[in-house]
Amino acid sequence: MESWGRLASRITGSDFCSSHASIRFTLWKPREGEKWNRVLGRIRLVDPGCNCVTMSSSFSRSVSSRLTPRSVSSPRVSAHRKWWVAQRPSFSNLAVIFCLVSVILVAGCMFYLYAFRYFGRGKLVSGFIDESDVCNVFDGSWVPDDSYYPIYNSTECPFAERGFNCFANGRQDMNYLKWRWKPRRCYIPEFDAREVLERLRGKRVVFVGDSMSRTQWESLICMLMTGVQDPNTVYEVNGNNISKTIRFLGVKFQTFNLTVEFFRSVFLVQQGLPPNHGPRRVRMTLKLDKMDDINHKWIDSDVLIFNSGHWWTPTKLFDMGCYFQTGGALKLGMSINSAFRVALDTWASWVETMVNTNRTHVFFRTFEPSHWSGLNQTACEVTEQPLSVAKADDRSEFADIIATVVGNMTVPVTVLNVTLMGAFRSDAHIGTWSHPSSILDCSHWCLPGVPDAWNELVFSYPLTNISEISNSYDHVLDSFALCIDGSSSSDII
């Protein structure tokens, strides 16, 4: 038998793979009493790119009796036998392999969850696409544009509340009306009222929330009115005038069989009397684990837009004797942020179980920033131009809660992240141009104004997967919310 040195000198890369001249082998010297088949069984193939020869693990059993150094270089053998030579796996090697596989599986799961959460759910308004990727329409700036804006004249729109019509209330400068929101990486098409009306033909659009939601509702109606030939075909379904004191308002576009509705639900959850034998300071409660009792009126809609947040303050809750309740028990020590999270979890569960998201596009609009100033946040200085740097009371903790809750939902919900948009617009608040004029307001927006941009984001791009609505649904007029007080000039109503 040849010595191990002579054998090593005869085993070259050309014997196995002529195209891989750099192939190298490691050959161990046989231990005492060890046969050559055991030595060759420990050959390691260093270059895995050589796919000309595949060695079999049965090497030591099936070939050992006939193996000689000459047979290694034999063309007949290399042409007809495919061998795999490897070390026997040890426990430590198996442990390493197991750990690597586990890491790969965990990393894959994390990537899947990330992609599903951030790209499949809670996503931005879809459809605004540039050449490379989906555009974040909420990342942008306000640019002057007097060629198209304002979209409508509030004085000519019978559904614009007098309190939001700053021009009719005496504001002289017109610059605040001529700004367009421009995303950094994409273009928002101009709002074509006639086209939007055609797309929404036979549909039901529902807004649920506080007075900020009512402002967006009024804005959309006035925008759509510019595409209507006969204004008399547009009317409030119950003959009501637009008022902040009515819990339900619905406007019918008769020609298009379209209704645009507003439901006043400032907390989204149920308000009621406290449990018996509670502390005297508790005059009413928010039942954080129960949706507002009019929630069944929101379900059969095609576009459903929520907002909440402005009423979640100590002055509108604790100062008014309104505290939190879950499962019939008072939660006197619960913070407002914690209560907001519980209420939003209740809302999310309701959406997941009650709303057919194959039909209904669900949106949640984030907190709209205010621009109060002064030591007690009672001063309101309306600027003539938008701010160059976003600066406002944005309640960012609420935005984080909204993002977390929506991100954990199992059905698609779109977050309208309008907070940054409003933070620039210290020029667009009502200020002293309110009705009556004694009310100072640095929370609400003038109309036309910022809410028009919100509607452009939602309705300027075709909404898909909106099925036809049924021809009948109920209208409601409910009593006022229990936890309200309009005594403060800065209140969100």
Side-chain angles (χ1 to χ4, degrees):
M1 182 174 290
E2 292 182 284
S3 67
W4 74 275
R6 290 179 61 190
L7 176 60
S9 67
R10 290 180 55 187
I11 300 177
T12 64
S14 61
D15 290 323
F16 288 86
C17 184
S18 59
S19 63
H20 286 40
S22 62
I23 192 168
R24 301 190 308 275
F25 295 89
T26 300
L27 189 63
W28 285 268
K29 183 177 180 179
R31 302 187 185 99
E32 184 177 356
E34 187 175 30
K35 295 183 179 181
W36 276 109
N37 64 312
R38 299 290 296 172
V39 176
L40 292 177
R42 298 202 305 273
I43 293 177
R44 293 186 303 170
L45 184 60
V46 176
D47 187 352
C50 178
N51 56 9
C52 303
V53 174
T54 304
M55 303 183 187
S56 171
S57 60
S58 62
F59 175 86
S60 62
R61 292 196 179 107
S62 62
V63 192
S64 60
S65 61
R66 293 180 283 106
L67 178 65
T68 66
R70 191 165 67 93
S71 68
V72 173
S73 59
S74 170
R76 180 175 59 84
V77 174
S78 62
H80 297 286
R81 295 190 182 275
K82 296 184 177 181
W83 297 341
W84 172 250
V85 184
Q87 286 181 277
R88 290 182 178 178
S90 66
F91 177 78
S92 60
N93 290 340
L94 290 176
V96 170
I97 293 173
F98 176 79
C99 291
L100 288 176
V101 172
S102 299
V103 169
I104 292 172
L105 289 175
V106 170
C109 291
M110 292 178 65
F111 176 78
Y112 172 79
L113 292 174
Y114 175 86
F116 182 72
R117 172 174 175 178
Y118 291 100
F119 296 99
R121 298 173 294 161
K123 55 190 176 182
L124 302 178
V125 177
S126 61
F128 294 90
I129 303 175
D130 63 8
E131 294 180 354
S132 61
D133 200 358
V134 176
C135 174
N136 179 358
V137 295
F138 306 110
D139 178 23
S141 60
W142 294 92
V143 296
D145 186 348
D146 58 2
S147 63
Y148 182 70
Y149 295 89
I151 298 175
Y152 58 89
N153 184 338
S154 289
T155 303
E156 298 175 355
C157 178
F159 303 100
E161 200 172 326
R162 175 65 185 272
F164 300 146
N165 189 348
C166 298
F167 180 73
N169 294 332
R171 185 166 183 174
Q172 297 298 316
D173 68 290
M174 304 289 289
N175 289 333
Y176 73 98
L177 298 172
K178 302 174 181 179
W179 293 89
R180 172 171 59 88
W181 177 253
K182 183 181 183 303
R184 300 188 189 281
R185 297 177 55 200
C186 54
Y187 175 75
I188 301 176
E190 290 184 353
F191 185 86
D192 187 328
R194 190 74 184 184
E195 179 184 351
V196 175
L197 283 167
E198 287 293 347
R199 271 193 274 117
L200 294 177
R201 182 182 290 275
K203 304 295 190 294
R204 181 179 178 224
V205 179
V206 173
F207 293 85
V208 180
D210 53 32
S211 57
M212 290 294 187
S213 186
R214 190 176 75 251
T215 307
Q216 186 180 5
W217 172 77
E218 294 180 22
S219 164
L220 177 61
I221 294 172
C222 291
M223 293 169 73
L224 294 176
M225 285 288 291
T226 62
V228 174
Q229 293 181 346
D230 183 3
N232 293 324
T233 61
V234 183
Y235 54 88
E236 205 285 323
V237 294
N238 291 315
N240 293 313
N241 294 323
I242 306 304
S243 169
K244 64 185 180 183
T245 60
I246 299 178
R247 261 200 111 179
F248 168 77
L249 292 165
V251 170
K252 179 87 169 183
F253 289 77
Q254 186 175 28
T255 304
F256 299 91
N257 191 28
L258 163 68
T259 55
V260 184
E261 305 171 30
F262 166 71
F263 290 87
R264 187 174 186 273
S265 179
V266 297
F267 297 109
L268 302 182
V269 292
Q270 195 174 120
Q271 308 164 56
L273 297 175
N276 295 330
H277 311 296
R280 294 185 59 184
R281 71 176 186 274
V282 180
R283 298 196 295 272
M284 56 199 75
T285 63
L286 291 183
K287 298 179 180 179
L288 303 176
D289 53 350
K290 297 182 181 297
M291 286 294 288
D292 194 319
D293 54 8
I294 61 172
N295 69 82
H296 61 285
K297 302 295 183 180
W298 314 334
I299 295 174
D300 294 325
S301 56
D302 298 281
V303 181
L304 184 54
I305 303 177
F306 292 91
N307 95 297
S308 187
H310 288 276
W311 282 76
W312 294 83
T313 64
T315 55
K316 295 179 181 296
L317 291 169
F318 305 146
D319 292 354
M320 302 304 302
C322 192
Y323 289 83
F324 308 125
Q325 178 180 343
T326 58
L330 284 174
K331 302 293 182 181
L332 298 179
M334 180 178 285
S335 69
I336 289 178
N337 287 352
S338 298
F340 183 72
R341 171 61 190 267
V342 175
L344 224 58
D345 283 335
T346 300
W347 166 84
S349 177
W350 176 85
V351 171
E352 290 173 339
T353 56
M354 299 299 295
V355 178
N356 178 12
T357 53
N358 291 323
R359 166 190 173 177
T360 305
H361 282 247
V362 181
F363 299 84
F364 199 104
R365 196 178 69 252
T366 58
F367 193 84
E368 304 86 0
S370 61
H371 289 87
W372 294 95
S373 58
L375 294 176
N376 297 319
Q377 295 291 294
T378 57
C380 178
E381 298 179 4
V382 178
T383 61
E384 293 186 2
Q385 300 286 331
L387 299 174
S388 58
V389 178
K391 183 180 180 181
D393 177 15
D394 59 5
R395 300 293 293 275
S396 58
E397 66 276 10
F398 280 12
D400 293 339
I401 294 172
I402 293 170
T404 300
V405 171
V406 172
N408 290 331
M409 293 179 69
T410 59
V411 297
V413 173
T414 301
V415 176
L416 293 174
N417 190 10
V418 302
T419 305
L420 178 64
M421 297 172 63
F424 292 100
R425 296 303 305 272
S426 59
D427 64 314
H429 289 295
I430 292 174
T432 59
W433 301 285
S434 58
H435 184 76
S437 58
S438 59
I439 298 176
L440 193 64
D441 193 341
C442 253
S443 296
H444 293 90
W445 308 102
C446 297
L447 290 181
V450 172
D452 303 337
W454 306 341
N455 287 322
E456 285 185 285
L457 294 181
V458 175
F459 296 100
S460 287
Y461 192 85
L463 293 170
T464 58
N465 299 325
I466 303 181
S467 61
E468 295 295 323
I469 66 170
S470 59
N471 293 325
S472 62
Y473 54 88
D474 296 331
H475 301 300
V476 296
L477 278 174
D478 290 296
S479 59
F480 300 117
L482 293 175
C483 301
I484 61 173
D485 179 30
S487 60
S488 172
S489 63
S490 63
D491 278 350
I492 302 294
I493 53 179

